[in-house]
Structures are given as C-alpha cells and as structure tokens.
Amino acid sequence: MDAPIPGSGYTVRWEATESLPTQDVGKLVDGSGLGGVEVRFFLVQQHVTSSKAYDWDHLALLWQEYLAYEGWIPWRLHPPRKRLQWEKDGVARLKELGAPAFLGYGYGEGQAKLSGEVEFGARFVLPPSTELKEAAE
C-alpha cells in the first residue's frame, strides 16, 4: 500500500511479503520453521538515481510521530548494514535523532539505479499462523 506525501517526492509504503524462501519449502514438510508474513514500513523517495539525497530526518519524524509508541509490533531488531558512506551517515543521523538502531533497513543506491526508488524503514514478521486476510487488515 502506497500513500504519497503531496509535494515531497516521497511515499509511505507498507508492504507484506512471504518471508519463506521457495527453496526451503520442501524442507519444511512438517511445518516446523515456517515464518509468517514479513511486513515492511518504508519512506520511499521516488524518481531518483542515487540514495545520496535521501531525507533521513523525514524518516525519523515519521517514526516518532506514528510508530514509536506501537508496542504491539514485533520489529526486527537487527541494525541495518550499509556499505556506502552516505548511507552509513544516514543511519548515524537516525540515531542522533533518537530513532531505534534497527530503523534504516531497506534498499538504497542499487535500488535507485534499478527502479528509480530508494526505500528505508523497518520490518517485522507476523506469526506463521497469521492468515493473509489478517495481515492485510
């Protein structure tokens, strides 16, 4: 689900995707080890060719205003691993602004070159018993 932010060149994106790699399906005949739907929250910058001008402050603001107090969400707590210095600087900026260490997960420079979009945010995985209808709601 995309929600464009008028006049900004940014969109808030919520994305739900299957988190089980297809090559693992045959290994899980008894259902053990199944993961649930992965839900991703992104602030997406559109129509770009690089992640250099991404607005990390805007991402931190969205986090503080809308998600920081959602205690029911089981966020994946792994900090993002960035290779490019300006993306490392962006993640450091998030920390300066009081965002959690896991905020900043996403797709930067490579994705900008492929699709013209840069998307950073956070993610969580729902329990495997969650039905797709529940995930969508």
Side-chain angles (χ1 to χ4, degrees), residues 22-44:
T22 53
Q23 65 266 27
D24 290 344
V25 172
K27 298 176 190 172
L28 302 173
V29 217
D30 64 353
S32 65
L34 284 176
V37 173
E38 182 174 271
V39 180
R40 300 171 184 168
F41 153 75
F42 290 124
L43 176 63
V44 182

Side-chain angles (χ1 to χ4, degrees), residues 2-110:
D2 282 359
I5 303 170
S8 72
Y10 286 85
T11 294
V12 173
R13 177 173 293 157
W14 284 95
E15 186 174 275
T17 182
E18 174 59 58
S19 61
L20 178 66
T22 53
Q23 65 266 27
D24 290 344
V25 172
K27 298 176 190 172
L28 302 173
V29 217
D30 64 353
S32 65
L34 284 176
V37 173
E38 182 174 271
V39 180
R40 300 171 184 168
F41 153 75
F42 290 124
L43 176 63
V44 182
Q45 184 183 26
Q46 299 174 309
H47 312 294
V48 294
T49 57
S50 175
S51 61
K52 281 186 179 181
Y54 186 81
D55 190 348
W56 298 93
D57 288 23
H58 196 161
L59 178 58
L61 175 69
L62 284 174
W63 177 265
Q64 293 298 336
E65 296 226 352
Y66 298 102
L67 295 168
Y69 305 103
E70 295 292 342
W72 66 271
I73 299 176
W75 297 106
R76 289 204 132 169
L77 303 179
H78 307 293
R81 284 175 253 146
K82 303 298 176 203
R83 290 178 287 175
L84 302 172
Q85 189 58 50
W86 60 85
E87 290 180 2
K88 289 178 183 178
D89 294 344
V91 170
R93 176 71 180 148
L94 290 174
K95 288 180 188 172
E96 287 172 18
L97 295 169
F102 59 83
L103 189 63
Y105 158 82
Y107 309 99
E109 192 71 11

